[in-house]
Amino acid sequence: DEDAEWERMVEARSKIETILNELNDEVRAEEDGKAGEEHLLKLKEQLTMAQQRLENTVKDEERVKVELQGLEKAKELSADGDKEKDDDDDDLFGDDDDEEDEATKATKEKQKASLQSHLDTITTLLQTQSEQVARLDAAYHEAEAAAAATSRGERSNLIAALSKKLCRDKLWHYRDYNEYVSSILEYRHVMDIKGYLNLIKEGNQAIRKKASTLGGASSSKSSKDKNKRSKRFDWDLYRTCVSEGLRDICYRFVLSPFRVGIKLEETHNKNGFSYERILPGDENKPDAGEPRQWMTPKIEDANPQEFASELVGSGELVLLSTARDDADWQDNPEMNDPLKGCRYVAAMELAHEPRIRRVLRAIYRSEAVITTRPTSKGLGIIDGFHEYYGLHLLRNKPVKEHFPMDAAELEKRRARLNAEEVKELDAELKLKETNSCIQYLNMLKAERSGDISIHVHLPFVGDVSDNDKPWYK
């Protein structure tokens, strides 16, 4: 349903804007050093207002539910009363009132549908406001505990160290992502942005938790939640690496993810990238249009081993595992490769960046192929008269043949044709699409029956099959 898909996308966009605002507010507070009484008062005021809005939304939800229940009861009573009334009126006056009754019922059904839609909107708003209250409550308690546990000088040092580990400028650009979200029309691309921002958010939370532990700050809320784990267990190593400051180190030799995404997208879609590109909102910055911003940083006068050794010696690079006393340097994997954790952080954040995922998904879709092989069961039963004959020996068939042609490519082909030729092209493409759909459904049917196996993969660089053995075995 297109309407439901659009509503899902609007809801996801709203959540992304909330996460972006959260990340931006947190960084601003840390960069400005507002961890004192003024910041606490502001957080308390925001928390009070958010709680008030949440209470008002709860009251609205209860009111709408009561109205819906009233309509349901009125409908039941009206149905019973109409049945008795119709029996009497039909004998005297006939069926003249039926049209009026139908109009009344239609009005009530329309009113009910409107209330139900309003209730769905309130439920979504309630969820968003609940998340906002929880976030502000946690931020208030953390700021309160940090203010009580640290002096002004210690707090300034803590904020500086925290800002260095967070690497805000390397991970997202507020204006750029806001514009990018508004330009997206597919739900999965919106969810890519949400997944990336949630990854960054979890990493930032791990950094703050580590900093508050080192600073001696604690709160009743954090003590209650200290035994809770994230639902994303596959992010445990990422959180550990980021909390130890490896994010700051990795972006000394890796280009920031959002810049990689912009370069990749414009190179792929626009056939070229300008190194003088300026991000929205950065027009007045001193380094605006500087090509170096779009180039991978380089470590001068040191190879990776020397660079890592210097960081380990200074205590800036923390090894995640402790070397055994009786082990040689070469016998410990991490001692032999101390930058492994840094590369892991960079790989996770690059792999989740929405533009990178979008471009790689498009490349895979255009280049991927399908290969089918008969199973041992299929080899024995599929012959020239079998319904799956021909489907069991497909080799490197392009996946894009099972999808409609890209709009841009179709527009180019139509531009060179007259009206009659365009009509023939549309009929040909429609027939091709129908046949490819039927073929793919038959392939799935054959796989489910255990006669063939289906493999979707990128084309192999060379022919790796054994000349003495058929390729499908």
Side-chain angles (χ1 to χ4, degrees):
D1 183 57
E2 292 183 358
D3 290 339
E5 185 74 12
W6 177 256
E7 289 177 2
R8 281 203 307 161
M9 189 171 68
V10 170
E11 181 182 349
R13 280 181 177 176
S14 175
K15 289 185 177 181
I16 288 170
E17 290 176 3
T18 302
I19 297 172
L20 268 175
N21 289 330
E22 289 175 11
L23 291 172
N24 208 43
D25 291 344
E26 289 168 356
V27 171
R28 278 183 180 176
E30 283 152 6
E31 288 179 349
D32 296 341
K34 296 178 181 177
E37 293 182 2
E38 181 183 347
H39 183 48
L40 279 174
L41 289 173
K42 185 178 179 181
L43 278 176
K44 188 173 182 180
E45 182 182 354
Q46 290 177 347
L47 178 60
T48 303
M49 292 175 63
Q51 288 173 337
Q52 185 62 44
R53 287 195 295 268
L54 181 61
E55 291 175 3
N56 292 338
T57 305
V58 170
K59 291 178 182 178
D60 286 343
E61 184 184 35
E62 292 176 353
R63 177 182 57 79
V64 173
K65 286 182 177 178
V66 169
E67 290 183 13
L68 276 173
Q69 290 175 356
L71 282 176
E72 289 291 340
K73 290 181 180 178
K75 182 179 178 181
E76 293 175 1
L77 293 174
S78 177
D80 294 339
D82 288 346
K83 185 176 180 181
E84 296 177 359
K85 184 179 177 181
D86 287 345
D87 292 341
D88 297 335
D89 291 351
D90 288 347
D91 295 336
L92 297 173
F93 307 106
D95 298 335
D96 294 338
D97 294 336
D98 286 352
E99 293 183 3
E100 184 178 349
D101 292 342
E102 289 296 328
T104 304
K105 289 179 182 179
T107 303
K108 289 182 178 179
E109 286 296 329
K110 188 176 181 180
Q111 185 180 1
K112 180 182 175 182
S114 177
L115 283 173
Q116 186 62 51
S117 177
H118 186 44
L119 181 62
D120 294 339
T121 304
I122 290 176
T123 303
T124 303
L125 181 62
L126 195 63
Q127 182 182 357
T128 304
Q129 290 179 341
S130 300
E131 293 174 357
Q132 186 180 19
V133 168
R135 175 184 65 82
L136 288 171
D137 187 53
Y140 176 74
H141 283 89
E142 287 179 7
E144 187 179 39
T150 59
S151 64
R152 187 178 298 274
E154 291 173 343
R155 196 153 56 239
S156 298
N157 294 334
L158 182 63
I159 290 171
L162 201 60
S163 180
K164 184 180 180 183
K165 285 186 176 182
L166 290 174
C167 301
R168 182 261 182 201
D169 293 335
K170 304 293 184 183
L171 298 174
W172 81 93
H173 189 278
Y174 182 77
R175 284 277 302 275
D176 176 66
Y177 271 173
N178 261 329
E179 292 183 6
Y180 182 60
V181 170
S182 302
S183 67
I184 289 176
L185 298 177
E186 288 192 40
Y187 177 72
R188 60 180 176 178
H189 296 154
V190 175
M191 294 307 294
D192 283 343
I193 303 177
K194 184 181 177 184
Y196 176 67
L197 294 178
N198 278 331
L199 177 76
I200 302 305
K201 186 178 177 181
E202 288 225 11
N204 291 352
Q205 288 174 350
I207 292 172
R208 292 191 180 89
K209 184 177 180 182
K210 179 85 172 180
S212 63
T213 303
L214 293 176
S218 61
S219 65
S220 58
K221 186 172 182 65
S222 62
S223 63
K224 290 178 184 177
D225 297 341
K226 66 181 180 180
N227 294 324
K228 291 184 179 180
R229 298 185 64 191
S230 169
K231 295 180 181 179
R232 293 299 304 263
F233 298 126
D234 54 331
W235 288 356
D236 283 350
L237 178 58
Y238 170 77
R239 284 189 292 270
T240 302
C241 292
V242 169
S243 65
E244 295 294 345
L246 301 189
R247 179 191 280 171
D248 171 49
I249 296 173
C250 80
Y251 289 117
R252 298 181 193 180
F253 57 88
V254 176
L255 186 61
S256 61
F258 79 90
R259 292 185 184 274
V260 174
I262 292 172
K263 285 181 67 176
L264 187 62
E265 183 181 53
E266 294 194 358
T267 302
H268 182 260
N269 296 336
K270 299 180 181 179
N271 299 320
F273 171 76
S274 173
Y275 281 86
E276 296 180 356
R277 188 185 194 281
I278 300 176
L279 294 172
D282 290 354
E283 294 83 3
N284 297 325
K285 288 189 175 181
D287 56 353
E290 175 60 45
R292 286 182 178 272
Q293 294 180 336
W294 300 96
M295 297 178 183
T296 305
K298 293 183 180 179
I299 306 299
E300 302 291 345
D301 303 327
N303 60 39
Q305 194 69 42
E306 293 171 348
F307 172 68
S309 298
E310 290 177 7
L311 293 175
V312 171
S314 65
E316 196 172 357
L317 176 59
V318 178
L319 300 180
L320 302 181
S321 62
T322 305
R324 302 190 306 273
D325 294 335
D326 59 342
D328 186 72
W329 176 278
Q330 301 293 332
D331 295 335
N332 189 294
E334 192 176 8
M335 297 294 278
N336 193 40
D337 186 12
L339 295 176
K340 182 178 180 180
C342 298
R343 292 199 307 274
Y344 177 78
V345 171
M348 281 287 288
E349 291 174 350
L350 286 167
H352 282 79
E353 208 284 328
R355 285 187 174 98
I356 296 176
R357 293 176 67 86
R358 184 177 184 177
V359 172
L360 292 182
R361 188 184 287 123
I363 293 174
Y364 189 85
R365 175 172 167 170
S366 63
E367 300 295 332
V369 294
I370 296 178
T371 298
T372 61
R373 289 183 174 88
T375 61
S376 55
K377 174 188 173 184
L379 280 173
I381 65 173
I382 297 178
D383 55 19
F385 300 98
H386 198 276
E387 62 174 323
Y388 299 144
Y389 182 76
L391 298 179
H392 66 310
L393 293 175
L394 294 178
R395 188 179 188 186
N396 296 339
K397 181 183 179 182
V399 171
K400 63 183 179 182
E401 292 185 7
H402 291 282
F403 291 96
M405 186 181 295
D406 291 337
E409 184 179 352
L410 181 59
E411 196 65 30
K412 288 181 181 179
R413 291 187 61 179
R414 283 178 171 173
R416 300 191 297 267
L417 305 177
N418 57 40
E420 188 65 29
E421 290 172 335
V422 167
K423 188 175 181 181
E424 292 178 2
L425 176 63
D426 290 342
E428 179 186 345
L429 291 177
K430 186 175 181 180
L431 178 62
K432 183 179 178 182
E433 184 179 345
T434 302
N435 292 336
S436 65
C437 288
I438 293 173
Q439 184 187 52
Y440 189 68
L441 290 174
N442 284 329
M443 286 163 57
L444 293 178
K445 182 180 176 183
E447 184 183 39
R448 184 170 295 180
S449 65
D451 295 321
I452 67 171
S453 61
I454 302 175
H455 307 276
V456 180
H457 58 90
L458 290 173
F460 296 116
V461 176
D463 189 359
V464 296
S465 61
D466 188 352
N467 293 329
D468 298 331
K469 188 177 180 181
W471 66 268
Y472 55 85
K473 289 187 178 181

